[in-house]
Amino acid sequence: MGRLICLSNRIPTGANPSGGLVVALGDVLSETGGIWIGTSGEIAEKPDTCLREIEGGPFKRFCFDLTEEEQENYYAGYSNSVLWPLFHGRTDLMEIHQDYLNTYKQVNRRIAKLIAPMIQPDDRIWVHDFHLLPLAYELRVLGIQNPIGFFLHTPFPGPISMQALPNGREVCQWLSNYDLVGLQAERDVRACLASMVEIGEGSDLGNGFIHLAPRQCRIAAFPIGIDTAEFTELAAREIEKLPSGILKPDRSLMIGVDRLDYSKGVPHRFRAFGEFLDRHEEWHRHVSLLQISPPTREGVQAYDDIREETEHLSGRINGQFADIQWAPIRFINRPVPREVLAGLYRASQVALVTPLMDGMNLVAKEFVAAQNSDDPGVLILSQFAGAAEQMTDALLVNPHDTEQMATSMLTALMMSRGERRERHRALLDGLTRQDVHWWSNAFLTALG
Ligand code: ADP
């Protein structure tokens, strides 16, 4: 079998790189003598003209630095202030600047030139996420004919949203240079096929195949999973280590864990919790919401705004309902180690995973995997998370509907143990069948 060459924006660092993608791809990379390439996270004065090898680790890794301008225009600019809001249904937050697009293309061209000399005829190339959409196009320009697959970790927009992007047609053309475009959910496949036809002016050949001259590509859903068995074991071990005092015998714990991103719907969740408390005085002092939300992409205006809004809302709800023994919301603005999160998921009676739009949402999967199957907690899941297509045994909600969310909170807190066990068994079966190993196998088999 030929080598796998994997590209993502950030390279997994450290002597023992970790994270979902490393678990998914680590074995194939080490078995095929494969390579992972990505940015180092460091800033250089001038663009790199060659790749640097990262020593150690179970597979070969090469990285390069971005310049200050590239970080600003390619990463914070086109990737995070144009594509991210567009792909999450927030065209109103897009910041269209020609400089952003120019640098985005330049960086992708530079990466293509850096990696092209190391590609051998039987290598397969797997490109990850929205930072690298034009990479296959740039590699084809350099004469690379190898199979190239792309996986988008976010949702994909339909033609109406794509019209808001001045270079929408070009994005479709970039995609057509991949042999396989993997998306998280069937809804994204439908949106992508429609955009490729209406915006890209391609022809739908059926079965997910699109012809966009001069190329043909296949678009299909590969919902990403987690390392389910490992996470269950971790949570069972870690719950024992939680500091005493976190759990109170007469108080249920609801948990929310999300980067502080406007796509995650944290303000909507807080408002619904406020509505729940307003309606159900009998639950005062008997339930609290632990919301763990480290800030991300600081300095981008939309992220500063969401931080202010959530701080304001949690303060208001606590001010309205708290008493000397109880604060309804604990809002933590920093990352928490993965193993502590696993223990907290297992200790919680309810998880609130209510994004307004999300590619998949791994927190939903981690929460289910972390439960004690004898006495499991209940997952409240937004219909707009990609995970909702697979996790139909969760309590599905519309995060815009505050009253429905408040009702679902009561349903979750009051659910019988029998029903909780039944729903959990069905959810866990799905996560076990379609875990992260299944996902990478399915994608690479389809890439052929
Ligand atoms: P996204 O990729 O958009 O951030 P996902 O839910 O798909 O959303 O994945 C988030 C990942 O980051 C999960 O593995 C989750 O455990 C982790 N994570 C989220 N919030 C925190 C936090 N406060 N501290 C540590 N890890 C977190």
Side-chain angles (χ1 to χ4, degrees), residues 257-259 264 292 294 334-336 341 345 361-363 366:
V257 174
D258 322 71
R259 282 181 309 101
K264 301 291 184 181
I292 304 178
R334 68 183 82 93
V336 167
L341 274 186
Y345 289 140
N361 197 292
L362 295 181
V363 169
E366 291 169 354

Coordinates of all heavy atoms in Angstrom, one line a residue, residues 257-259 264 292 294 334-336 341 345 361-363 366, ligand 1:
V257 N -20.3 22.2 27.3 CA -18.8 22.3 27.1 C -18.7 22.7 25.6 O -19.0 21.9 24.7 CB -18.1 20.9 27.3 CG1 -16.7 21.0 26.9 CG2 -18.2 20.5 28.8
D258 N -18.2 23.9 25.4 CA -18.1 24.4 24.0 C -17.0 25.5 24.0 O -17.0 26.3 24.9 CB -19.3 25.1 23.5 CG -20.6 24.5 23.9 OD1 -21.0 24.6 25.1 OD2 -21.3 23.9 23.1
R259 N -16.2 25.5 22.9 CA -15.5 26.8 22.7 C -16.4 27.9 22.7 O -17.6 27.8 22.2 CB -14.7 26.7 21.3 CG -13.5 25.8 21.3 CD -12.8 25.8 19.9 NE -13.7 25.5 18.8 CZ -14.3 26.4 18.0 NH1 -14.0 27.7 18.1 NH2 -15.1 26.0 17.1
K264 N -22.1 28.1 18.7 CA -22.5 27.1 19.7 C -23.8 27.4 20.5 O -24.2 26.5 21.3 CB -21.3 26.9 20.7 CG -20.0 26.5 20.1 CD -20.0 25.1 19.5 CE -18.6 24.7 19.0 NZ -18.6 23.3 18.5
I292 N -18.6 25.2 30.6 CA -17.2 25.3 30.4 C -16.9 25.8 29.0 O -17.1 25.0 28.0 CB -16.5 23.9 30.7 CG1 -16.9 23.4 32.1 CG2 -15.0 24.1 30.6 CD1 -16.3 22.1 32.5
P294 N -13.9 27.8 27.0 CA -12.6 28.6 26.9 C -12.8 29.5 25.7 O -13.4 29.1 24.6 CB -11.6 27.5 26.5 CG -12.3 26.3 26.1 CD -13.7 26.4 26.6
R334 N -12.2 28.8 30.8 CA -10.8 28.3 30.5 C -10.9 26.9 30.1 O -11.9 26.2 30.4 CB -9.9 28.6 31.6 CG -10.1 27.8 32.9 CD -9.1 28.2 33.9 NE -9.6 29.4 34.6 CZ -10.3 29.4 35.7 NH1 -10.6 28.2 36.3 NH2 -10.7 30.5 36.3
P335 N -9.9 26.4 29.4 CA -9.9 24.9 29.0 C -9.7 24.1 30.3 O -9.2 24.5 31.2 CB -8.7 24.8 28.1 CG -8.0 26.1 28.0 CD -8.7 27.0 28.9
V336 N -10.3 22.9 30.2 CA -10.2 21.9 31.3 C -9.6 20.7 30.7 O -9.9 20.3 29.6 CB -11.7 21.6 31.8 CG1 -11.7 20.5 32.7 CG2 -12.3 22.9 32.4
L341 N -12.7 16.6 32.0 CA -14.0 16.7 31.3 C -14.7 15.4 31.3 O -15.9 15.3 31.5 CB -13.8 17.1 29.8 CG -13.6 18.6 29.5 CD1 -13.5 18.7 28.0 CD2 -14.8 19.4 30.0
Y345 N -18.5 14.8 32.6 CA -19.6 14.3 31.8 C -20.3 13.2 32.5 O -21.5 13.1 32.6 CB -19.1 13.7 30.5 CG -18.5 14.7 29.4 CD1 -17.4 14.3 28.7 CD2 -19.1 15.9 29.1 CE1 -16.9 15.1 27.7 CE2 -18.6 16.7 28.1 CZ -17.5 16.3 27.4 OH -17.0 17.1 26.4
N361 N -20.2 18.0 16.2 CA -20.2 18.2 17.6 C -19.8 16.9 18.4 O -20.5 15.9 18.5 CB -21.5 18.7 18.2 CG -21.3 19.2 19.6 OD1 -20.9 18.5 20.5 ND2 -21.3 20.6 19.7
L362 N -18.5 16.9 18.7 CA -17.9 15.7 19.4 C -18.3 15.7 20.9 O -18.2 14.6 21.5 CB -16.4 15.7 19.2 CG -16.0 15.6 17.7 CD1 -14.5 15.5 17.6 CD2 -16.6 14.3 17.1
V363 N -18.6 16.8 21.5 CA -19.0 16.8 22.9 C -20.2 15.9 23.1 O -20.3 15.2 24.1 CB -19.3 18.3 23.4 CG1 -19.9 18.3 24.7 CG2 -18.0 19.1 23.4
E366 N -18.9 12.5 23.1 CA -18.1 12.2 24.4 C -19.0 12.0 25.6 O -18.8 11.2 26.4 CB -17.1 13.4 24.6 CG -16.0 13.4 23.6 CD -15.2 14.7 23.6 OE1 -15.5 15.6 24.4 OE2 -14.2 14.8 22.9
Ligands
ADP1 P1 -15.3 22.3 17.8 O1 -14.4 21.4 17.0 O2 -16.1 23.2 17.0 O3 -14.6 23.0 18.9 P2 -16.5 19.8 18.8 O4 -17.6 19.6 19.8 O5 -16.6 18.9 17.6 O6 -16.4 21.3 18.5 O7 -15.1 19.4 19.5 C1 -14.6 20.1 20.6 C2 -13.5 19.2 21.3 O8 -12.8 20.1 22.2 C3 -14.1 18.1 22.1 O9 -13.2 17.0 22.0 C4 -14.1 18.7 23.5 O10 -13.9 17.7 24.5 C5 -13.0 19.7 23.5 N1 -13.3 20.8 24.4 C6 -14.4 21.6 24.3 N2 -14.4 22.5 25.3 C7 -13.3 22.3 26.0 C8 -12.8 22.8 27.2 N3 -13.4 23.8 27.9 N4 -11.6 22.3 27.7 C9 -11.0 21.3 27.1 N5 -11.5 20.7 26.0 C10 -12.6 21.2 25.4

